[in-house]
Amino acid sequence: MDLNYSPEETAFRDRVRDWLHENLPTDLRDKVSNYRELSREDLIGWHKTLARQGWVAPEWPVEYGGTDWSVVERYIFEEEMGYAGCPPLVPFGLRMCAPVLFRFGTDAQKQRFLPRIYQGDDFWCQGYSEPGSGSDLASLKTRAVRQGDHYVVTGQKIWTTLAHYADWIFCLVRTDASQSKRQEGISFLLIDMKTPGITVRPIILMDGGHDVNEVFFDDVTVPVENLVHEEGKGWTVAKYLLGHERMGTGRVGQSKRELQQLKEVATQHLKDGRPLIEDARFRDRLTRVEVELMALEITNLRFLDQLRGGRPPGAEVSMLKIKGTEIQQSISELMMQAAGPFAQAFRPVDNMDFDHFTARLAARYCNMRKTSIYAGSNEIQRNIIAKATLGL
Ligand SMILES: Cc1cc2nc3c(=O)[nH]c(=O)nc-3n(C[C@H](O)[C@H](O)[C@H](O)COP(=O)(O)OP(=O)(O)OC[C@H]3O[C@@H](n4cnc5c(N)ncnc54)[C@H](O)[C@@H]3O)c2cc1C
């Protein structure tokens, strides 16, 4: 097994690094590094910059704009973006809906939606979860009744990330409630968010931010041509998509950058008159996270080596999700410890410096709790690993 980059891969990394250095706007990088909320324009603007460079969808087939990079080059690109402090590429169109369309879409659906996803003309969101149907997704109740050449959709989705920015939503809906097996009778629909009968209601998370929403459907008319794959076979589509969702939740590059920031904060802030970074107990916790991050990176590279050899990843994707999100959470905890009272956003007073970075840390800590819940909670990921390795 070779876990080192080849000279060509190192040259590729340098090329990506230089390009990001020249093309990532400073204000955007500062927003990301300071954990400030990104607007629709921020997200789309960065998407379009990458689309112009031809780098927005490396994993897509070349005829649709893919780069034909190796898996290692794709990984390097991903990590460099995280390390540089780029805004995240919103995955719902690029990495969820598009792979589904490549695999299950009609030619007409591919022609209509894929170029617009690539260019960032349509903003997508994911309508899977419902109240009471998160981990137990197959119990979903949103109903779609066929009436001639359209479906009428009624029900509710919840935790829909960025639905307030979205032009389109892909949804799992129940088209046949009479099936004894709950996974059957579910269909996958593409729904225009401007259709009458759709209401988006914000859910404000405990960090005060607006990421997620409730989405209500009241007799929403959806043309039958927006059905992906066969009616009643949406569960096959759903499972295919979830595999894609869990790839890339490790976020090694982002965690490396944050670890660096953590060290800086711990160097500036004092405990008993000495920089916190010199405190043995703090160093112990910091080092543990750093070692875990190194182990995650090596695990990532190990999987890449398998992929290079043509072996697709299986349940191990769940391992990356669990460890990656635990590390992100640990870093946010240590940041709080390092910044102490400065981690709270308070009004600056005359004799006190106001640090915009540390003032966002308490909110960041709260926000990071989500990572072990979304994209399938970490408990569910452990069940997947247990099933795959122990056959439970
Ligand atoms: C910030 C955020 C963004 C999200 N974005 C989206 C989105 O864009 N689109 C979308 O469709 N959904 C989204 N979700 C929803 C997410 O997928 C669900 O929250 C998640 O699947 C958990 O479902 P639930 O909330 O219903 O909790 P539940 O399934 O009720 O779980 C509650 C607790 O019980 C545990 N649990 C449940 N079943 C088991 C089991 N069998 N074994 C062991 N433990 C179990 C869970 O791990 C969890 O700790 C988002 C969630 C969050 C927090």
Side-chain angles (χ1 to χ4, degrees):
M1 190 184 309
D2 182 6
L3 299 181
N4 294 313
Y5 291 143
S6 67
E8 293 76 25
E9 286 162 354
T10 307
F12 173 81
R13 185 198 60 193
D14 293 343
R15 189 158 67 89
V16 169
R17 206 172 268 186
D18 289 347
W19 187 86
L20 291 175
H21 184 70
E22 279 161 28
N23 291 279
L24 175 62
T26 317
D27 58 333
L28 217 45
R29 194 195 54 215
D30 288 349
K31 260 189 167 182
V32 172
S33 304
N34 288 308
Y35 303 133
R36 289 184 27 228
E37 203 158 299
L38 296 165
S39 66
R40 189 179 194 272
E41 290 64 38
D42 291 333
L43 294 167
I44 290 181
W46 181 238
H47 179 123
K48 284 184 179 288
T49 303
L50 284 174
R52 278 194 297 276
Q53 173 69 5
W55 286 358
V56 82
E59 63 281 9
W60 282 25
V62 174
E63 66 267 33
Y64 284 98
T67 54
D68 204 21
W69 289 339
S70 68
V71 280
V72 179
E73 287 169 330
R74 268 155 43 191
Y75 173 79
I76 290 172
F77 178 64
E78 198 77 22
E79 295 314 322
E80 286 301 317
M81 289 223 294
Y83 194 60
C86 301
L89 281 173
V90 178
F92 306 114
L94 286 172
R95 291 182 184 167
M96 295 193 197
C97 192
V100 159
L101 292 177
F102 286 128
R103 174 78 177 76
F104 300 101
T106 61
D107 285 342
Q109 286 170 342
K110 287 181 192 163
Q111 277 164 25
R112 177 175 177 197
F113 294 110
L114 291 169
R116 294 185 62 82
I117 291 176
Y118 190 94
Q119 295 302 336
D121 294 334
D122 290 333
F123 199 115
W124 283 79
C125 63
Q126 177 188 26
Y128 271 27
S129 306
E130 297 182 8
S133 306
S135 305
D136 186 19
L137 189 57
S139 67
L140 64 91
K141 295 187 188 60
T142 294
R143 206 174 63 231
V145 179
R146 173 107 186 230
Q147 287 182 6
D149 60 357
H150 60 265
Y151 291 98
V152 177
V153 179
T154 312
Q156 183 198 343
K157 296 291 171 183
I158 195 166
W159 307 118
T160 322
T161 302
L162 303 181
H164 53 304
Y165 291 169
D167 303 301
W168 285 83
I169 182 169
F170 54 84
C171 273
L172 289 177
V173 293
R174 195 163 291 285
T175 38
D176 182 357
S178 68
Q179 299 288 337
S180 54
K181 207 170 162 222
R182 294 180 315 165
Q183 284 81 357
E184 282 162 17
I186 291 175
S187 299
F188 192 97
L189 285 184
L190 311 177
I191 305 178
D192 184 340
M193 290 291 281
K194 288 185 284 302
T195 320
I198 298 182
T199 309
V200 177
R201 206 161 69 187
I203 301 175
I204 302 303
L205 295 179
M206 58 183 178
D207 66 340
H210 179 194
D211 292 352
V212 291
N213 303 273
E214 294 177 288
V215 182
F216 298 89
F217 299 87
D218 291 306
D219 291 336
V220 174
T221 304
V222 181
V224 168
E225 70 212 38
N226 290 6
L227 170 74
V228 178
H229 199 37
E230 290 169 45
E231 185 178 295
K233 300 286 179 214
W235 193 249
T236 310
V237 183
K239 281 193 301 181
Y240 180 78
L241 190 147
L242 285 174
H244 280 267
E245 183 176 6
R246 281 165 201 160
M247 295 286 282
T249 39
R251 307 237 167 103
V252 172
Q254 177 193 309
S255 291
K256 275 186 182 170
R257 174 172 48 79
E258 293 186 347
L259 203 65
Q260 192 56 42
Q261 285 176 304
L262 171 60
K263 286 179 184 171
E264 285 162 23
V265 175
T267 305
Q268 287 157 13
H269 288 251
L270 305 181
K271 184 185 174 213
D272 301 331
R274 290 170 55 207
L276 182 65
I277 195 130
E278 291 174 15
D279 178 80
R281 288 167 73 101
F282 183 83
R283 283 180 79 89
D284 180 45
R285 290 194 67 193
L286 181 72
T287 310
R288 276 170 199 270
V289 178
E290 195 159 18
V291 169
E292 294 225 320
L293 185 56
M294 285 163 75
L296 179 70
E297 186 169 25
I298 290 170
T299 309
N300 237 331
L301 292 170
R302 208 153 43 85
F303 294 150
L304 284 176
D305 194 59
Q306 286 175 16
L307 282 172
R308 249 193 308 216
R311 237 182 80 196
E316 52 266 41
V317 176
S318 297
M319 197 157 104
L320 299 179
K321 194 299 161 150
I322 296 169
K323 289 314 293 181
T325 54
E326 283 179 354
I327 290 169
Q328 288 162 48
Q329 291 185 339
S330 297
I331 293 175
S332 73
E333 286 160 27
L334 287 174
M335 285 274 203
M336 288 279 284
Q337 194 185 340
F342 294 94
Q344 298 283 353
F346 50 78
R347 282 166 64 84
V349 289
D350 288 347
N351 59 352
M352 219 179 231
D353 289 337
F354 185 77
D355 181 334
H356 288 273
F357 172 69
T358 56
R360 292 284 308 151
L361 291 178
R364 173 71 176 175
Y365 167 83
C366 292
N367 188 273
M368 280 293 96
R369 302 306 99 193
K370 71 186 178 189
T371 62
S372 49
I373 303 171
Y374 65 36
S377 74
N378 285 12
E379 288 78 17
I380 296 297
Q381 306 303 326
R382 286 191 169 87
N383 287 350
I384 292 171
I385 294 172
K387 208 168 169 186
T389 56
L390 305 173
L392 295 173

